[in-house]
Amino acid sequence: MAPYQADAPLAAQFRARQIQAVLRLTPLTMLANVLNALIVGWTFRDDLNPLLLVGWALFVLYSAGAGLDAWLRWRRHRTPATASPRALTRSAKHAALLAILWGTVPLLMMPEANPDARVLLTAVVTGMICAGGFALATIPQAALTYVAILGAATVLGLIRMDLPQAYEMGLLLLLYTLIVMGTVISSARTFGARLMAEAEGEHQRQLIGLLLNDFEENASDWLWETDADGRLTHVSHRMATVFGRSVDALMGQDLLALIAQSLDRVPQDERQAYTDLCRRFNSGRPFREALVPIVLDGETRWWSLTAKPLTDGHQMSTGWRGVGTDVTQALAAQREVQRMAHFDGLTGLSNRNHFHESLSRIEEHAADSHTGALLLCLDLDNFKAINDSYGHSFGDGLLRVVAQRLLGRTRRTDIVARLGGDEFAIIRWGLNTPEDAEELASRIIASLADPFEVDGIRVKIGTSVGIAMAPKDGQSGDQLLKNADIALYAAKFDGKGRFRFFDYEMDTRARRRLFLEHELRGALQRGEFHLAYQPIFSLATGRICGCEALLRWRHPRLGLIDTQECISVAEDSGQIESIGEWVLNAAIRDAAGWPDSVRLSVNLSLAQFINPALCDTILTSLSEHGLPATRLELELTESIFLRDTTDTEGHLRALRAAGIRIALDDFGTGYSSLAYLRSLPLDRIKIDRAFVQAITTHPETAAIVRAIIAIAKALDMDTCAEGVEGGAQLTVLRAEGCDTVQGFALAEPMAPAALAAFLTGNITVPALVAASRSAAEKKIMRPQ
């Protein structure tokens, strides 16, 4: 019968409200009971037994007195905030008692009454049904019990009377009783819905109040309110804490004046923010997130104020209400984000985005011949190998030191940027002469050529520099950068540690390189590669002891491509590994048909060497073509020593364990280290052609070659001299004790078919030496 759905605590409160609603009408309903009882008593004073009539009246008066007593107690003490279900049951019982008392009137008294009295009693009972039902509507179980008992008794009383239309009147009264009961149910539900709505509203109010209190106490924001004169009328504890004053001290203070008092020494641009805030207040319109500085305890803080005007019923301003937030840290973080968006997080230099934004200024002054810019693009030499050898943490430290040196060699107005990896760039504004650019580039190259020490480790790197000048070399940032990159590539191609100015012939070479890179991607599938072999002669026996496999690329349109250019493009484009695998497999296949005394030498790229599957791949190819591992020699450059020594040694020992020989190529031109020669398993040292060609003309070069041969013998290694082009060189090399030689003076690189014919001959080194002497250093053997 409860006109609501609520949990136990809330239902207890609702039951108390139901009882309170009934008690408010209790005086009136009890008075109606007393008056109606007097009317009934007066009507039947002569017709009924006085004792019965008096007893009935006393019961009615007692019930009315009990109701009034409950009302008086409620008035004096107020009923509790909650009520149990038994309280509603007692109310229903009290209503049932009253209904039974008044039900005796139509059942026992109306049949004895005269017609006039019956009409009066019918009116009284009908009124009691309606009045009682409506008065008890908030407690539906009491109201329905009361109406049902009294209505049923009245209907039965009418039926018992000998009246012509008793049944019709009884039916009508039953209908009215049902209508009253339906109205009671509807009123009870309405009352219950109102209770639920009020409870939900109270819950929301408490929740909002709780959140508001928590907001004011714990949030970084604070609430404030002013009157029409701008004086504070509400100050939260948080706001008082921020100001460093008490709530009472801030109450009644002018908010804008409090802010203005602290801005005596702030910069003018910050005072402008305060002026903007005053203008917002004067506009009388709501505003959001207005920034304003305020100095507290000597520190400038930034506040964000959001507010809306308060108005009365006549739309007249009565003040402002708003919220404030200390956004000092947020603004600092925002500035840091902006800094990170324009500066490299590792080195602190300008990043690529800032660099391109700055470079775009060139277009703004392209038409002005009195303005210009100098652009230097830098690329660190061998940084990748050092980074791979010592780890990325070491590489990061090295880049930071490089950045500091660059800043130390440039002006404060120069833009020094890190474009990514080990790529840097420098922009110098204004008209600069080539001499200025050369001086700056030379200073940077010299600075970066000095050894670096990072984490206790000393390393040497260098840099190559490409130079482009605006407006001569480009009138847009993109064009100038492209040309500086082309010049950088030319500097690296000429040799490390150099600088080059851009010229338009470089652009042609750059286009050629891009074309070659594109064409190289399909050259292997199109069968454009072939191998040539250059014989290697033993100075002890005078016979061929090996052949070095050399890659040749014949392009269908460009013809034979220079080998160094081909290798360089393959390395830069990441295709060297696949091409190297093809060379290795094809050379092993060809060498399988050579005499057993002739060994195959194959150059191995760094990309191939660091592949963990290298040894298995080589052994598979040797097994497939039937070439013994002892007849294969792999030539490695000194760049492998820049990698982790443990990995390098592991790779070399795995190859040596399989029976494959290892030769160190171009010794003396790179990062030579005697420690590497002592610790790593090597079989041969190849003396670079630069030493061989100068051996007869420069005594110091001959001394270097002599030292290399002596070191090799001490370490039980062979030596091979490359690039022998004259008999005099052969004579010196044999005198110094070199083991093997190769070069044009002996035999040029030749195709596999020509090599097969050449291997059938009986060419010896002594004969070649004698012939070369008589031919006065003329190259004697160029087989076709």
Side-chain angles (χ1 to χ4, degrees):
M1 296 298 291
Y4 44 75
Q5 296 291 331
D7 54 23
L10 193 58
Q13 299 177 24
F14 288 173
R15 287 192 291 268
R17 294 285 299 278
Q18 289 177 273
I19 294 173
Q20 292 170 18
V22 172
L23 288 175
R24 290 190 185 94
L25 297 176
T26 293
L28 184 59
T29 56
M30 293 303 102
L31 179 60
N33 275 271
V34 172
L35 291 177
N36 288 334
L38 292 176
I39 292 173
V40 171
W42 181 261
T43 301
F44 290 97
R45 65 185 182 281
D46 297 327
D47 299 328
L48 292 178
N49 187 327
L51 292 176
L52 177 61
L53 188 60
V54 170
W56 175 82
L58 289 175
F59 273 112
V60 173
L61 292 175
Y62 172 78
S63 297
L68 289 172
D69 179 64
W71 176 77
L72 289 172
R73 284 188 286 107
W74 174 70
R75 291 288 296 176
R76 287 195 301 267
H77 308 292
R78 294 290 178 181
T79 56
T82 59
S84 66
R86 292 194 301 272
L88 297 185
T89 302
R90 286 195 299 269
S91 298
K93 290 179 179 179
H94 186 264
L97 176 61
L98 278 176
I100 292 172
L101 288 174
W102 284 103
T104 59
V105 174
L107 284 174
L108 301 178
M109 298 181 186
M110 286 180 64
E112 304 297 332
N114 56 49
D116 294 336
R118 289 177 177 177
V119 174
L120 177 62
L121 291 176
T122 302
V124 169
V125 173
T126 303
M128 291 297 294
I129 292 174
C130 295
F134 295 143
L136 297 170
T138 58
I139 306 178
Q141 54 266 57
L144 294 176
T145 300
Y146 175 83
V147 172
I149 293 175
L150 188 53
T154 304
V155 171
L156 290 175
L158 287 173
I159 294 174
R160 287 185 59 206
M161 289 187 295
D162 185 15
L163 294 174
Q165 295 179 337
Y167 286 98
E168 289 80 353
M169 292 177 63
L171 183 60
L172 286 174
L173 184 59
L174 178 60
L175 178 60
Y176 296 152
T177 301
L178 293 176
I179 290 174
V180 172
M181 295 176 71
T183 304
V184 166
I185 295 174
S186 178
S187 298
R189 290 178 177 173
T190 301
F191 181 74
R194 190 182 75 184
L195 291 178
M196 292 292 294
E198 290 178 356
E200 180 63 23
E202 178 64 18
H203 174 71
Q204 293 294 333
R205 186 189 67 79
Q206 293 177 358
L207 180 60
I208 292 173
L210 180 64
L211 292 176
L212 188 60
N213 290 335
D214 182 71
F215 176 83
E216 290 191 340
E217 294 297 330
N218 301 313
S220 59
D221 301 346
W222 64 87
L223 301 177
W224 54 270
E225 189 174 324
T226 68
D227 59 16
D229 296 326
R231 300 186 180 279
L232 290 168
T233 57
H234 172 79
V235 178
S236 66
H237 290 288
R238 176 64 181 168
M239 182 178 182
T241 302
V242 170
F243 266 103
R245 304 187 189 181
S246 66
V247 173
D248 294 337
L250 291 177
M251 291 293 290
Q253 296 290 322
D254 189 308
L255 176 61
L256 293 177
L258 286 172
I259 297 174
Q261 289 172 5
S262 68
L263 300 180
D264 294 338
R265 299 182 180 179
V266 300
Q268 184 60 37
D269 57 339
E270 295 184 2
R271 288 187 61 86
Q272 182 61 39
Y274 171 75
T275 303
D276 294 340
L277 178 66
C278 293
R279 186 167 58 251
R280 290 173 183 257
F281 271 101
N282 293 332
S283 70
R285 294 190 298 270
F287 59 85
R288 292 180 57 83
E289 299 177 353
L291 294 177
V292 61
I294 184 169
V295 180
L296 298 173
D297 297 330
E299 179 184 5
T300 301
R301 311 291 298 178
W302 282 90
W303 290 355
S304 173
L305 299 181
T306 298
K308 68 175 183 178
L310 302 177
T311 57
D312 57 17
H314 302 287
Q315 298 301 310
M316 298 297 294
S317 176
T318 60
W320 291 83
R321 179 183 295 138
V323 61
T325 306
D326 190 322
V327 295
T328 306
Q329 293 183 351
L331 288 179
Q334 183 179 356
R335 287 192 292 267
E336 178 63 17
V337 169
Q338 292 176 348
R339 189 194 68 79
M340 293 175 63
H342 289 84
F343 294 90
D344 178 52
L346 177 63
T347 62
L349 303 178
S350 297
N351 62 12
R352 181 180 291 272
N353 291 334
H354 190 206
F355 170 77
H356 282 289
E357 289 177 6
S358 302
L359 200 60
S360 64
R361 291 170 47 194
I362 293 176
E363 301 177 19
E364 301 174 6
H365 306 289
D368 189 354
S369 60
H370 297 289
T371 61
L374 170 64
L375 175 61
L376 276 64
C377 285
L378 291 71
D379 187 277
L380 301 183
D381 297 332
N382 303 305
F383 174 79
K384 183 178 184 303
I386 292 176
N387 194 48
D388 291 342
S389 299
Y390 297 105
H392 295 293
S393 177
F394 181 88
D396 290 345
L398 180 59
L399 291 175
R400 283 191 285 266
V401 178
V402 169
Q404 292 302 313
R405 290 194 184 180
L406 291 177
L407 291 174
R409 299 298 184 273
T410 52
R411 302 172 183 170
R412 293 176 60 88
T413 55
D414 294 342
I415 294 177
V416 183
R418 179 185 175 222
L419 305 184
D422 61 336
E423 300 177 9
F424 296 84
I426 299 172
I427 303 175
R428 174 168 291 181
W429 300 110
L431 291 175
N432 294 274
T433 64
E435 291 76 15
D436 296 332
E438 181 176 345
E439 189 273 335
L440 176 59
S442 299
R443 188 164 64 245
I444 290 173
I445 291 174
S447 175
L448 298 187
D450 292 337
F452 290 80
E453 183 168 340
V454 179
D455 297 334
I457 301 174
R458 288 174 60 88
V459 295
K460 287 193 67 175
I461 61 172
T463 185
S464 302
V465 181
I467 306 172
M469 303 176 68
K472 178 176 69 72
D473 297 330
Q475 296 187 355
S476 70
D478 290 341
Q479 184 181 15
L480 195 68
L481 179 60
K482 170 194 167 187
N483 292 340
D485 277 336
I486 292 174
L488 172 61
Y489 168 74
K492 294 175 65 176
F493 188 80
D494 288 347
K496 299 172 182 179
R498 302 172 183 266
F499 67 86
R500 287 292 303 273
F501 286 89
F502 171 78
D503 63 59
Y504 285 93
E505 291 183 3
M506 292 180 180
D507 189 36
T508 302
R509 291 194 294 270
R511 293 178 184 275
R512 171 184 170 87
R513 186 175 182 83
L514 288 175
F515 175 76
L516 290 178
E517 181 177 333
H518 177 269
E519 293 296 296
L520 191 63
R521 297 190 185 280
L524 196 60
Q525 290 74 20
R526 295 190 297 268
E528 297 175 4
F529 290 119
H530 66 274
L531 295 179
Y533 298 94
Q534 185 173 38
I536 301 173
F537 292 84
S538 170
L539 286 174
T541 64
R543 294 190 173 275
I544 297 174
C545 60
C547 292
E548 181 180 357
L550 302 173
L551 178 66
R552 297 291 184 264
W553 177 22
R554 185 174 297 279
H555 189 270
R557 288 170 51 191
L558 301 180
L560 191 64
I561 307 299
D562 179 76
T563 301
Q564 288 299 110
E565 185 178 22
C566 173
I567 297 299
S568 176
V569 172
E571 288 178 341
D572 291 345
S573 62
Q575 303 177 69
I576 188 64
E577 187 172 0
S578 59
I579 294 175
E581 291 179 1
W582 178 86
V583 169
L584 190 62
N585 188 66
I588 292 174
R589 181 194 60 217
D590 292 342
W594 300 346
D596 293 342
S597 60
V598 179
R599 184 181 294 115
L600 169 66
S601 293
V602 180
N603 288 278
L604 206 63
S605 68
L606 179 61
Q608 287 176 278
F609 180 75
I610 63 178
N611 188 342
L614 172 66
C615 189
D616 292 338
T617 302
I618 294 177
L619 292 178
T620 299
S621 181
L622 291 172
S623 175
E624 179 181 349
H625 298 294
L627 182 72
T630 53
R631 289 183 56 198
L632 175 62
E633 182 176 83
L634 299 178
E635 297 186 10
L636 303 172
T637 62
E638 295 175 3
S639 60
I640 66 169
F641 299 141
L642 296 176
R643 293 187 48 78
D644 180 70
T645 306
T646 303
D647 291 344
T648 300
E649 186 174 355
H651 278 70
L652 293 178
R653 294 197 182 281
L655 294 171
R656 284 286 302 277
I660 299 171
R661 287 171 54 89
I662 306 297
L664 182 60
D665 198 11
D666 298 335
F667 181 77
T669 62
Y671 296 86
S672 304
S673 170
L674 297 182
Y676 294 145
L677 294 179
R678 179 180 58 82
S679 62
L680 295 179
L682 300 173
D683 297 288
R684 172 176 291 177
I685 295 177
K686 300 196 73 174
I687 304 172
D688 187 77
R689 66 179 63 249
F691 297 121
V692 173
Q693 292 173 358
I695 195 173
T696 59
T697 57
H698 294 81
E700 64 275 11
T701 302
I704 292 174
V705 171
R706 186 180 308 115
I708 294 174
I709 295 173
I711 291 172
K713 290 184 179 298
L715 296 175
D716 196 24
M717 298 180 190
D718 296 337
T719 52
C720 178
E722 297 180 296
V724 178
E725 297 184 358
Q729 296 170 354
L730 279 173
T731 301
V732 174
L733 290 170
R734 184 172 58 179
E736 297 294 346
C738 185
D739 297 299
T740 58
V741 293
Q742 67 181 105
F744 287 170
L746 308 176
E748 289 187 347
M750 59 191 75
L755 177 66
F758 189 77
L759 291 176
T760 61
N762 189 22
I763 305 299
T764 63
V765 172
L768 286 174
V769 172
S772 62
R773 287 174 178 171
S774 62
E777 301 296 330
K778 180 180 179 180
K779 297 178 183 178
I780 63 170
M781 192 168 299
R782 297 182 181 273
Q784 302 297 319

